[in-house]
Each structure stands twice: as C-alpha cells, then as structure tokens.
Amino acid sequence: MNKMVRWIIGGAAFFLACLVLYLKLNPPLASDGYGWSSEQPGLVTVELQNEGFHGVKLKKVLVNEGGRPCKVDLGVSRSSALIGIFAIKEEIEGISFHPIDEYEIEPKLSREEVIELEELDNRSTIRHYGVAVDHCKKVDSVTVKYMYFGFPYKKEIKIERMK
C-alpha cells in the first residue's frame, strides 16, 4: 500500500509539473492589431484576445518600456465592431470603456458562437477586448501585465506606424 501511495503522489506531482510548464510556455494573451492617432501620437488602441481556456485578469499597462501612461482603459465591444481609435473619438453603440481590472478577458469565442450571437442579435456577450492608452509622449510600445491561473505574464506590443 505504501508503494501505491508513492506512485499516486509521484504521478500527481508529475502531472502538476507538466501543467505548470504548459501554462508558462503557452501564454494566452494575443494581439491581432492596434491603432494610433496621427494628430495625437500618444493615443493608441491595442486589440487583445484570450487564446486560452480560462479568464485573463489585466493588472497593469505600461508604455515605452516601463513608463506609466496618463490614462488607460479596457475597451469592450458587445457588437461586431473592434476596439479601434474610431471608438475613442466617437461614441459607438456596443463599445464601452472601463478600468482595466473591471472585466476579465474571457476566452475567444468560436466562429459558431459568433454566428449564433449575430443571428440572435445578442448584445449582452462581450465579443472583443482592447486597451486604450493615452500618454503625453509618442507611444512606441505597450506592455500588458496580466494574471492567468494565478501565474504572472506580460505581453509586449510594438507600435509600428506607417509613414
């Protein structure tokens, strides 16, 4: 019996070690795009997407390799519209901005779920997430610090502007 207990504990420890390694090597947060304002170089939006299977909690957003932005908001869209610069400049139905810790970024919806939401005209489910950053200087990079299953991660997004 003693040998059996050791095997069970060893197997559980191995499984947990594999799970932790998988989580550390596969960060869930991705960015599919960003937008910027040519009139205000410190105004940037970054699309965020959770490719994991559990909610992501944003902790901090930094700019230009560690600077604190003047203002940062979490944008959520309950329509098919993405969180872009246009959403900051004019009010768009279904898009709202909140403190970054107000919502968890839920896992990305499947194509079938999106089609079903469109058919039902469901405006209660969040479809897109993004951060809106306003800084006093030109923003060249945005670093998002977040938690996933209790582990800290960070995602850096370089802002490459077209001339």
Side-chain angles (χ1 to χ4, degrees), residues 77-79 103 117 120-127 129:
S77 173
R78 291 178 166 84
S79 68
Y103 291 98
L117 290 173
L120 297 173
D121 196 30
N122 182 332
R123 301 286 180 187
S124 63
T125 304
I126 298 174
R127 300 180 198 186
Y129 298 87

Side-chain angles (χ1 to χ4, degrees), residues 2-147:
N2 202 4
K3 199 173 200 180
M4 180 66 110
V5 171
R6 285 187 199 156
W7 274 101
I8 291 172
I9 292 172
F14 178 74
F15 174 74
L16 285 174
C18 289
L19 181 63
V20 168
L21 185 62
Y22 173 80
L23 290 174
K24 283 310 244 178
L25 293 176
N26 295 295
L29 202 59
S31 176
D32 284 344
Y34 52 84
W36 68 90
S37 170
S38 54
E39 297 91 36
Q40 295 174 281
L43 187 60
V44 173
T45 59
V46 176
E47 291 289 327
L48 297 175
Q49 200 167 256
N50 179 355
E51 295 179 346
F53 47 88
H54 185 268
V56 166
K57 189 76 170 167
L58 298 184
K59 291 298 183 185
K60 190 184 285 187
V61 176
L62 303 170
V63 294
N64 299 341
E65 320 232 339
R68 288 186 166 262
C70 297
K71 183 177 180 190
V72 62
D73 290 316
L74 174 65
V76 296
S77 173
R78 291 178 166 84
S79 68
S80 57
L82 299 173
I83 310 299
I85 284 293
F86 60 88
I88 297 173
K89 296 188 178 209
E90 63 183 75
E91 190 172 316
I92 296 175
E93 184 182 344
I95 296 179
S96 57
F97 292 91
H98 309 271
I100 62 168
D101 58 355
E102 189 167 329
Y103 291 98
E104 279 192 357
I105 298 178
E106 296 298 327
K108 179 177 146 182
L109 298 172
S110 69
R111 187 169 188 264
E112 292 79 21
E113 290 172 319
V114 172
I115 291 170
E116 184 179 331
L117 290 173
E118 287 294 326
E119 288 174 353
L120 297 173
D121 196 30
N122 182 332
R123 301 286 180 187
S124 63
T125 304
I126 298 174
R127 300 180 198 186
H128 303 284
Y129 298 87
V131 289
V133 177
D134 193 2
H135 191 53
C136 53
K137 297 178 185 170
K138 180 182 174 189
V139 176
D140 294 318
S141 68
V142 175
T143 303
V144 179
K145 293 186 175 188
Y146 62 99
M147 298 292 283

